[in-house]
C-alpha cells in the first residue's frame, strides 16, 4: 500500500514563519460499538483484503488492520458516553486504498453481494472500484495501469 501526501504547510505565528511538513497518511480510525466492530473487521479482512495485525495494549478494545505491513485502519470500541453515527453523511466521502488483482476483487465483491461501481481515471489509465462498508463508509480500491 502506498499512501502519499506531498505537501508543506506554512504557518505564520507572531510574525515568524514555521514550515510543517506532512509526510503521509498514517491511518484512519472508526469508533464503533463492539458487535458492529466485529462485522466491520470481518468485512475489511474478507472483502477488502486487509490483514489483522498487532495492536498496542491500549486500555480500550480494538483492532489494527494492515496492508502491505502498514497499519492503515484502526477500529476502536465506542465509549458509552461517546455514541457515533454510522455512515459517511458528513464531509468524509471515502478512503482510497492501493490494490492489485482487479478481477479477484470484482469477483469477491460480487460473491459478497456488495454493490460497487467501476471507474476509469482519464489520462492515468488506472481503474477504480467504489463501494460502501457495512456501516456506510465509502471505500475506493485503485489499481495500477493495465489492470482491469
Amino acid at each position: 500500500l502506498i499512501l502519499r501526501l506531498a505537501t508543506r504547510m506554512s504557518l505564520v505565528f507572531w510574525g515568524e514563519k514555521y514550515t510543517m511538513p506532512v509526510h503521509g497518511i498514517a491511518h484512519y480510525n472508526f469508533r464503533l460499538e463492539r458487535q458492529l466492530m466485529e462485522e466491520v473487521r470481518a468485512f475489511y479482512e474478507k472483502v477488502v483484503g486487509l490483514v489483522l495485525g498487532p495492536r498496542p495494549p491500549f486500555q480500550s478494545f480494538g483492532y489494527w488492520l494492515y496492508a502491505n505491513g502498514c497499519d492503515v485502519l484502526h477500529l476502536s470500541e465506542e465509549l458509552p458516553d461517546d455514541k457515533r453515527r454510522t455512515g459517511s453523511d458528513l464531509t468524509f466521502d471515502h478512503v482510497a486504498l492501493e490494490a492489485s488483482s482487479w478481477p479477484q476483487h470484482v469477483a469477491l465483491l460480487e460473491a459478497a453481494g456488495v454493490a460497487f461501481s467501476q471507474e476509469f481515471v482519464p489520462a492515468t489509465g488506472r481503474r477504480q472500484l467504489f463501494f460502501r462498508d457495512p456501516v456506510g463508509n465509502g471505500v475506493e480500491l485503485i489499481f495500477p495501469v493495465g489492470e482491469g
Side-chain angles (χ1 to χ4, degrees), residues 97-105 141-144 147:
L97 302 170
E98 295 278 350
S100 59
S101 303
W102 170 276
Q104 288 86 352
H105 279 283
L141 299 180
I142 188 160
F143 297 85
E147 282 207 34

Side-chain angles (χ1 to χ4, degrees), residues 62-89:
Y63 298 109
W64 282 12
L65 298 167
Y66 288 70
N68 198 30
C70 298
D71 58 303
V72 295
L73 174 57
H74 295 180
L75 303 177
S76 303
E77 187 169 27
E78 179 179 80
L79 303 173
D81 61 342
D82 187 24
K83 294 292 182 191
R84 304 291 175 106
R85 291 190 340 221
T86 58
S88 58
D89 61 342

Side-chain angles (χ1 to χ4, degrees), residues 14 20 34 36 59 67 72 89 98 135 140:
W14 288 350
M20 303 177 306
R34 178 122 14 147
L36 193 52
Q59 291 181 1
V72 295
D89 61 342
E98 295 278 350
V135 292
E140 171 189 346

